[in-house]
Amino acid sequence: MKVSKYKSYEDLPLFLNAETVSKVLGIAPSSSYNLLHEKDFSALRIGSRIVVPKEQFIQWVKEHTGGGT
């Protein structure tokens, strides 16, 4: 089982790339790449990079764990 090195949302960078999403969620890198390409995931494409703003990521987690509004 993968364990996240992040202990709180404050530890996260302002923008998360696929590698960071993978580490935070404890999932395979290929799964995080797939997630970043999902329609309801608020990712930004900047050139060839795809990132998600920290606040949008936190909101997505809350919505998908029953903690969203």
Side-chain angles (χ1 to χ4, degrees):
M1 179 171 103
K2 294 185 179 191
V3 177
S4 174
K5 72 175 188 172
Y6 299 100
K7 302 300 178 196
S8 72
Y9 288 131
E10 289 88 28
D11 295 339
L12 297 175
L14 289 177
F15 292 91
L16 291 73
N17 60 16
E19 181 182 348
T20 306
V21 169
S22 172
K23 289 177 182 176
V24 170
L25 296 178
I27 60 175
S30 59
S31 296
S32 67
Y33 282 106
N34 290 338
L35 182 60
L36 289 173
H37 286 90
E38 284 190 11
K39 216 178 206 184
D40 71 334
F41 199 78
S42 297
L44 301 171
R45 187 174 301 273
I46 303 171
S48 62
R49 294 191 60 196
I50 300 175
V51 294
V52 61
K54 173 178 164 175
E55 296 302 321
Q56 297 289 29
F57 177 76
I58 294 168
Q59 183 61 35
W60 181 87
V61 170
K62 288 179 181 178
E63 289 173 0
H64 287 82
T65 58
T69 54

